[in-house]
Amino acid sequence: MTEDIGAPVDKGNPWRQGIAAVVAVAALCGGAWWLGETSGTSPAKPARCSGGKPDKTAAPAEQAHTSGAQLCEALNRPDLAELLGTPDQKPRTASGSQKSMRLLGSEDIVSPSARVEFDAYTVELSATYDRLTVAESAVVLGKGAQQQAVLGHPAFFYSDRTVTFSIGTDGRGTNSGPGSPVRALTVALGDKDSGGSYEVTLWRADGVLPDDAVVRRVAEKVLPTVPGWTTGGAGVTQG
């Protein structure tokens, strides 16, 4: 008997995979960061955001970035289930996380994120404050990236899979493998695509790849409510 913990893989920014691995190890040791409220929460009530508090030790430049708590508040909106096409469901867990990483010879890269989980869907919203543009990320992903504009900001869709971690009942053996298919929408922080991005990621409990229209609908409603969002211009439109 095993316990499976799923986490999405981000191919657009390879360094994020290292962060994801650290988070996964922490989850295996003491429970995943995104579990939100405890099992004692009534299923009839929507989950409240937990975690994601700003790091009080962060440098002033880091404090100016959106926090995981703020992303969670934006994502965990009352009509999120309706946007997903499952209006009768309520979120079971909702949480935020605040991470930063320093690459060799560069400044700290801040990457807050939030997750809301339903019976049918899991939705993630993240922000990465680096110098990698959306256009550069799309090139890294190759032909699978579909470039377009979202709310006047350069953006692209791509597909991936979650990674499933299996824990043995004795707590000793662990394995990992491909999980559910993921559909992600990466959107530039600004309409000029000068670096950094938001990302809205969805996957379904039934293993079906989420529809682009659903991902885009969530992004177009959620992103304008994120602190610091700027109204975009014409952006780019490519097939």
Side-chain angles (χ1 to χ4, degrees), residues 143-226:
K143 296 181 179 179
Q146 302 173 12
Q147 297 186 57
Q148 52 196 274
V150 172
L151 299 173
H153 291 222
F156 67 89
F157 279 100
Y158 73 94
S159 296
D160 210 327
R161 281 189 176 273
T162 61
V163 174
T164 300
F165 296 92
S166 300
I167 309 172
T169 54
D170 58 2
R172 296 179 180 179
T174 60
N175 295 292
S176 64
S180 301
V182 169
R183 196 62 174 161
L185 177 60
T186 301
V187 183
L189 292 179
D191 60 343
K192 302 301 182 183
D193 195 17
S194 58
S197 62
Y198 299 104
E199 188 159 281
V200 176
T201 307
L202 270 69
W203 66 94
R204 294 172 47 147
D206 60 8
V208 176
L209 185 69
D211 188 78
D212 284 0
V214 176
V215 183
R216 188 182 185 104
R217 184 163 62 238
V218 172
E220 289 180 339
K221 289 293 185 179
V222 171
L223 289 177
T225 67
V226 174

Side-chain angles (χ1 to χ4, degrees), residues 18-50:
I19 294 179
V22 172
V23 172
V25 171
L28 295 176
C29 295
W33 60 269
W34 47 264
L35 286 178
E37 295 199 333
T38 65
S39 58
T41 302
S42 169
K45 298 180 181 179
R48 294 181 180 179
C49 288
S50 64

